[in-house]
């Protein structure tokens, strides 16, 4: 087996666990969050030899470790979720804090940003999914009443951005598909399984004829 050498190897002093990493391709930056460090660590990937002291920087604003990060490239927005239950929206171009607010009653597990950057979604250990205005930090929607026992660590927006997909504890980690526009549950894997069973029965009936 051919041994592959890493392009970058970064050791973060005093870090017990790296929880999240996001790359800002248009800025050649790497944003790193750690479980026990309240600062977001920024690593400049392209540095001239005489500027090695500028390679590392930190964004300070959380009072506990960083649980998740996401980056919106077109507006240079970095959104961070912390174990302090807070969300911070940063302008990564000038390293400025734009909005900070308490988002959940427990730490944030994941952040998803809409393609236009106007809204983003968070999922938390408090078992809720919420929609936020990126500029103001004001809540647009809480999906708590639409989901029950939602997976508290990860979820996703579908490419068309009309649906949220999240796992459900009550259904043995089956995935619920929720329509954001109509505020209705679109389907879950139980529905899909039933659909597949129906199609298989139909095919068998046709073959027997």
């Amino acid at each position: 087996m051919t041994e592959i050498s890493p392009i970058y190897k970064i050791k973060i002093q005093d870090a017990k666990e790296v929880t999240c990493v996001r790359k800002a391709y248009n800025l050649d930056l790497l944003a790193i969050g750690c479980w026990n460090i309240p600062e977001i660590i920024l690593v400049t990937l392209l540095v001239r030899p005489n500027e090695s002291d500028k390679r590392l920087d930190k964004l300070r604003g959380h009072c506990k470790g960083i649980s998740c990060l996401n980056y919106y490239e077109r507006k240079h927005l970095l959104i961070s979720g912390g174990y302090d239950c807070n969300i911070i929206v940063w302008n990564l171009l000038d390293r400025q804090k734009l909005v900070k607010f308490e988002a959940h009653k427990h730490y944030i597990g994941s952040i998803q940003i809409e393609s236009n950057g106007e809204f983003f979604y968070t999922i938390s250990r408090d078992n809720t999914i919420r929609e936020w205005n990126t500029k103001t930090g004001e809540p647009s929607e809480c999906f708590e009443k639409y989901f029950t026992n939602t997976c508290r660590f990860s979820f996703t927006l579908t490419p068309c951005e009309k649906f949220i997909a999240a796992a459900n504890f009550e259904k043995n980690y089956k995935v619920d598909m929720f329509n954001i526009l109509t505020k209705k549950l679109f389907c879950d894997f139980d529905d899909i399984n039933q659909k597949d069973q129906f199609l298989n029965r139909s095919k068998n009936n046709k073959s027997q004829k």
Side-chain angles (χ1 to χ4, degrees):
M1 182 180 291
T2 304
E3 185 176 347
I4 301 174
S5 300
I7 299 173
Y8 295 99
K9 187 175 182 180
I10 301 163
K11 183 171 178 60
I12 302 168
Q13 188 174 1
D14 300 325
K16 293 183 178 179
E17 179 182 341
V18 174
T19 54
C20 44
V21 179
R22 283 288 172 178
K23 185 176 181 181
Y25 288 94
N26 56 346
L27 298 176
D28 289 313
L29 280 176
L30 206 62
I32 303 170
C34 299
W35 172 70
N36 63 315
I37 299 176
E39 298 92 1
I40 299 167
I41 297 156
L42 299 180
V43 181
T44 303
L45 299 178
L46 297 178
V47 179
R48 297 187 181 92
N50 60 347
E51 293 182 341
S52 59
D53 58 327
K54 297 181 181 179
R55 179 172 178 136
L56 294 176
D57 198 1
K58 293 182 179 180
L59 299 178
R60 295 177 173 88
H62 289 280
C63 59
K64 291 184 179 180
I66 311 302
S67 57
C68 54
L69 296 167
N70 210 338
Y71 180 65
Y72 183 66
E73 191 163 289
R74 279 191 280 172
K75 295 182 181 179
H76 305 101
L77 295 179
L78 179 71
I79 303 178
S80 59
Y83 291 100
D84 57 5
C85 307
N86 289 329
I87 287 285
I88 301 180
V89 181
W90 311 84
N91 185 326
L92 208 53
L93 187 62
D94 55 16
R95 319 281 172 95
Q96 294 297 310
K97 185 195 307 178
L98 301 178
V99 181
K100 178 181 178 180
F101 58 94
E102 185 176 350
H104 289 274
K105 296 177 182 178
H106 214 304
Y107 74 81
I108 294 94
S110 182
I111 298 167
Q112 299 292 333
I113 308 173
E114 283 189 337
S115 60
N116 58 16
E118 293 182 7
F119 297 96
F120 66 93
Y121 299 84
T122 57
I123 192 169
S124 168
R125 187 70 188 268
D126 66 11
N127 212 36
T128 61
I129 296 174
R130 295 182 178 178
E131 180 184 76
W132 307 93
N133 185 296
T134 306
K135 291 182 180 179
T136 64
E138 293 295 320
S140 302
E141 183 73 72
C142 177
F143 299 105
E144 182 176 9
K145 57 188 175 183
Y146 307 113
F147 286 92
T148 56
N149 281 333
T150 304
C151 177
R152 297 164 285 183
F153 306 105
S154 184
F155 73 120
T156 187
L157 294 176
T158 59
C160 63
E161 296 186 347
K162 293 181 180 179
F163 300 101
I164 295 174
N168 190 310
F169 286 159
E170 284 187 346
K171 298 177 181 177
N172 297 319
Y173 298 93
K174 300 294 185 182
V175 174
D176 288 336
M177 292 286 289
F178 176 76
N179 189 311
I180 298 171
L181 299 179
T182 63
K183 305 295 187 292
K184 292 181 179 179
L185 190 68
F186 175 68
C187 71
D188 58 31
F189 277 123
D190 289 339
D191 295 332
I192 293 173
N193 289 333
Q194 291 170 8
K195 177 185 173 184
D196 289 342
Q197 290 171 10
F198 173 78
L199 291 174
N200 288 332
R201 284 198 302 269
S202 298
K203 289 178 181 178
N204 291 333
N205 292 334
K206 288 181 180 178
S207 62
Q208 290 174 1
K209 292 178 181 179

